[in-house]
Amino acid sequence: MIKKLGIAEFFYVFDTLKKESDVDNQQLFSNTDRGLAYGDGFFTTALVRDGNVDLWPLHRNRLVECQQRLGFPELRLDEIEFLVQEQVKDKAEAVLKILITRGEGGRGYQAPETPQLSVSIQVLPFPSHYTTWQQNGIEVALSRVKLGIQPLLAGLKTLNRLEQVLIKQDALTLVCDDVIVTDINDRVIEASAANIIMIKDNTLYTPDLSGSGIKGVFLSALESKHDIRIKNIAFDELKAADGVFICNSLMQLVPVVRIENKHFDIADLHELKRRFLGK
């Protein structure tokens, strides 16, 4: 049986491309929800195209991995998937966001023994500038905000995203479209909200995310089709690459045409993308 807004275990957001001021988007989580209080939850963001969720099996796997590694009760994924399909079936192009918290209760940080999960499903407008980025490429700078190292949470898309908030604030002060983010040991990890693919000497590389960062669904899809080697990458090494791309499930593959004072030819980048990534 499908449960809707107001039922303890599940609720979902009927955002459906409405304005943020619409009442359907207001006060959906309790003030005592653990997601609000402690960031005790996780999410995934997916591309909706022609009424279908792109790479849905991988997004589903991400939700399961987060649930298991964070010690959440088993998710009722068939119900979530049904609700998702109901919301996206008439959308030509949009963004799906599924957000899950451990719900209310517990004593301080200690989680309740039998949590009642809160589930939000939103359908949002697609960021139109991503299409321009794919065609023309982007310019990036080095973020002054460095990521901490925490292997217990590395790779997971949890609700604790304060580092990314600070990274985005820092990026606004730089002359660039996005930033390259390193960890506290100065190893390249990711962009502000995307993974990194580096091409050097006919080989594909991506940074090691075992201590920091998020492994995106789109990167996982690429790894299933291409030999992408995991490597500790220094920022100067990135600038010396033959080509650099950032990627996530919404923007997909975006070429980087400038890393600070190093410029890359956009035609060469599109050719590298065609040869090595089949896009």
Side-chain angles (χ1 to χ4, degrees):
M1 177 179 179
I2 300 302
K3 299 183 178 182
K4 298 187 179 181
L5 188 60
I7 302 301
E9 286 92 349
F10 284 82
F11 63 87
Y12 52 97
V13 180
F14 292 137
D15 187 41
T16 58
L17 310 185
K18 296 179 182 178
K19 297 179 181 178
E20 291 182 358
S21 59
D22 286 350
V23 67
D24 286 351
N25 284 327
Q26 307 303 313
Q27 199 58 36
L28 291 167
F29 286 92
S30 162
N31 288 334
T32 58
D33 191 279
R34 296 181 62 84
L36 177 63
Y38 310 118
D40 191 1
F42 51 91
F43 68 105
T44 194
T45 309
L47 173 65
V48 176
R49 183 184 288 135
D50 298 326
N52 295 299
V53 181
D54 196 39
L55 302 176
W56 171 249
L58 293 176
H59 286 284
R60 184 179 172 120
N61 290 346
R62 163 185 270 173
L63 294 175
V64 171
E65 181 184 10
C66 289
Q67 169 250 310
Q68 292 176 344
R69 285 177 57 183
L70 295 175
F72 274 50
E74 185 175 352
L75 301 176
R76 290 152 60 176
L77 284 167
D78 289 343
E79 290 192 21
I80 293 174
E81 187 169 357
F82 179 87
L83 296 174
V84 165
Q85 290 302 320
E86 284 295 299
Q87 292 305 299
V88 305
K89 62 185 179 183
D90 61 346
K91 303 298 184 299
E93 186 175 55
V95 175
L96 167 72
K97 183 174 182 178
I98 303 174
L99 187 152
I100 300 174
T101 82
R102 211 183 301 258
E104 301 178 76
R107 187 177 180 87
Y109 292 138
Q110 179 63 50
E113 291 185 9
T114 56
Q116 299 294 306
L117 305 187
S118 298
V119 179
S120 165
I121 298 173
Q122 294 176 278
V123 182
L124 306 164
F126 179 78
S128 58
H129 67 277
Y130 282 167
T131 302
T132 303
W133 281 16
Q134 290 169 0
Q135 296 169 350
N136 300 335
I138 62 169
E139 300 183 349
V140 301
L142 178 63
S143 175
R144 290 164 293 198
V145 179
K146 299 179 185 293
L147 296 172
I149 297 174
Q150 176 46 274
L152 287 175
L153 299 176
L156 300 183
K157 203 163 187 178
T158 72
L159 297 185
N160 185 352
R161 303 260 62 88
L162 283 177
E163 287 179 319
Q164 283 67 38
V165 171
L166 294 175
I167 287 164
K168 284 292 191 182
Q169 290 177 343
D170 181 56
L172 291 175
T173 69
L174 302 171
V175 181
C176 61
D177 300 300
D178 202 350
V179 289
I180 299 298
V181 185
T182 59
D183 66 13
I184 57 174
N185 292 323
D186 293 324
R187 294 175 295 199
V188 170
I189 300 296
E190 58 194 5
S192 67
N195 290 122
I196 294 171
I197 301 288
M198 180 181 81
I199 301 177
K200 180 68 175 177
D201 297 330
N202 299 322
T203 304
L204 298 172
Y205 298 98
T206 195
D208 184 355
L209 303 179
S210 60
S212 304
I214 298 173
K215 184 174 183 178
V217 161
F218 193 80
L219 176 60
S220 295
L222 288 177
E223 287 179 330
S224 70
K225 299 176 182 178
H226 307 283
D227 180 17
I228 302 177
R229 302 182 185 182
I230 296 173
K231 185 179 189 299
N232 286 327
I233 301 173
F235 184 64
D236 286 344
E237 189 176 1
L238 199 68
K239 293 170 69 174
D242 300 322
V244 176
F245 300 83
I246 68 170
C247 64
N248 66 28
S249 59
L250 300 182
M251 69 176 68
Q252 301 190 344
L253 277 165
V254 169
V256 176
V257 296
R258 180 176 68 84
I259 304 177
E260 294 192 330
N261 61 346
K262 173 63 183 291
H263 293 263
F264 300 84
D265 183 80
I266 186 62
D268 291 343
L269 291 171
H270 282 306
E271 176 60 19
L272 285 172
K273 184 170 69 168
R274 185 193 65 78
R275 285 175 54 202
F276 292 101
L277 294 163
K279 294 286 183 179

